[in-house]
Amino acid sequence: MSKKTHQQQLAARKAKRQAERESERRRQRRNLGITVTAVAAVVVVLVGVFVVFGVGGDDKPAALASAPAENKPASIPTAMAAAPKRATPLASEVNCTYKKSAEPAAKKVDPPADGKTKASGTSKVSLNTSIGDLQLTLDSALAPCTVKNFLSLVGQKYFDNTKCHRLTVGEGLQVLQCGDPSGTGSGGPGYSFADEVYPTLKYGRGILAMANSGANTNGSQFFIVYGDASGLTPQYTAFGTIDEPSVKLIDKVAEAGVTPQNGPQDGSPIIPVDIKSATAAA
């Protein structure tokens, strides 16, 4: 084999690997939304995108649990992202509307009241989980209607005794997804509300954002970015941050890997993350 032919073959293999990685990133971005009907159909035929979990108990993380290398992150960035900030601030108050969905609620809950909401101030929420306490700071200057909704769900104990059903560990999308009492990835609160995004929105380690099934379909599912999120475009409402000690707890879960359900780097976490209770600071 000539040197030139060998170089051409190496270049072709490299191009194929890059194309495969990009295809995987695109697929994971699509799946960050929750398409209720599609997921439900898949679960019926037992080829589920997400695992259905039981609820409750005092489960402890399996310290020795681990997955094959292909089901783990190759690396996780250690630098925390800067807290998101709107280039153009919102008005002092915005109007929030919460519309009933066609799908029933995964857990009975009342929507927040419609009407004006202050677009300023922060709120603290603590998630007591099976891996330790996760400390969240919600920012109403970023997404006042989203913060109002999250605090309403916390107050109604919607997140109590639920599972974080999804973990992604691939390049460009490293997130832990929670907020579905059904544990299937298709459950919500029975209502939806509009996106609160903006063109310069970026995601990174420590950012808290809403999952959705398309424009203006926010409900209860949210994700925590623990690592690389370079594959995300600004279509998921960022509404706060999680502190560094909390992110490091999620690192340990990510490093153990996933049980793949939607590709080798996308599935349920090997180490379960159970939300025992969610509490807002007084």
Side-chain angles (χ1 to χ4, degrees):
M1 181 186 299
S2 70
K3 181 177 180 180
K4 181 177 181 181
T5 301
H6 180 63
Q7 289 174 336
Q8 289 173 335
Q9 289 179 343
L10 289 175
R13 285 197 291 269
K14 181 179 179 181
K16 182 181 178 181
R17 289 195 299 270
Q18 290 174 336
E20 289 172 345
R21 286 197 295 268
E22 179 57 29
S23 177
E24 174 69 9
R25 285 195 292 268
R26 287 197 300 269
R27 182 192 58 73
Q28 288 187 334
R29 288 196 298 269
R30 287 196 301 271
N31 289 330
L32 194 56
I34 311 102
T35 307
V36 173
T37 54
V39 172
V42 171
V43 170
V44 168
V45 298
L46 302 180
V47 190
V49 173
F50 302 111
V51 170
V52 181
F53 294 98
V55 174
D58 294 321
D59 298 333
K60 301 296 182 183
L64 300 179
S66 190
E70 66 174 357
N71 305 137
K72 299 178 182 180
S75 63
I76 301 173
T78 57
M80 296 290 286
K85 185 176 181 181
R86 287 179 174 269
T88 303
L90 295 169
S92 60
E93 290 186 324
V94 301
N95 192 53
C96 301
T97 304
Y98 305 91
K99 299 180 180 179
K100 185 176 180 180
S101 302
E103 297 79 19
K107 185 175 182 179
K108 184 174 176 55
V109 69
D110 295 321
D114 293 346
K116 296 288 186 180
T117 301
K118 288 180 62 176
S120 61
T122 59
S123 304
K124 300 287 187 180
V125 170
S126 179
L127 301 181
N128 175 242
T129 81
S130 55
I131 63 169
D133 290 346
L134 306 181
Q135 304 299 336
L136 316 180
T137 299
L138 315 186
D139 188 351
S140 293
L142 277 178
C145 298
T146 304
V147 171
K148 180 178 180 179
N149 175 70
F150 198 88
L151 291 174
S152 174
L153 293 174
V154 168
Q156 296 180 75
K157 302 187 182 301
Y158 182 87
F159 299 121
D160 291 11
N161 299 315
T162 63
K163 301 274 187 178
C164 291
H165 61 276
R166 184 185 182 204
L167 179 71
T168 64
V169 297
E171 180 184 347
L173 185 62
Q174 295 179 332
V175 305
L176 177 69
Q177 191 166 327
C178 316
D180 172 13
S182 76
T184 64
S186 63
Y191 61 86
S192 63
F193 58 97
D195 298 329
E196 296 179 286
V197 296
Y198 49 94
T200 57
L201 174 58
K202 295 187 183 300
Y203 311 88
R205 182 171 168 86
I207 303 301
L208 184 65
M210 295 297 294
N212 62 53
S213 57
N216 304 316
T217 59
N218 304 286
S220 61
Q221 291 196 42
F222 63 95
F223 62 90
I224 297 166
V225 181
Y226 67 86
D228 181 13
S230 58
L232 291 181
T233 55
Q235 56 186 308
Y236 307 99
T237 299
F239 63 103
T241 57
I242 177 171
D243 70 9
E244 188 168 14
S246 302
V247 177
K248 288 181 177 179
L249 294 175
I250 299 174
D251 286 347
K252 295 178 182 178
V253 175
E255 287 163 356
V258 301
T259 300
Q261 267 79 50
N262 195 33
Q265 297 178 316
D266 186 342
S268 58
I270 290 284
I271 297 177
V273 183
D274 307 335
I275 300 176
K276 299 176 181 180
S277 64
T279 307

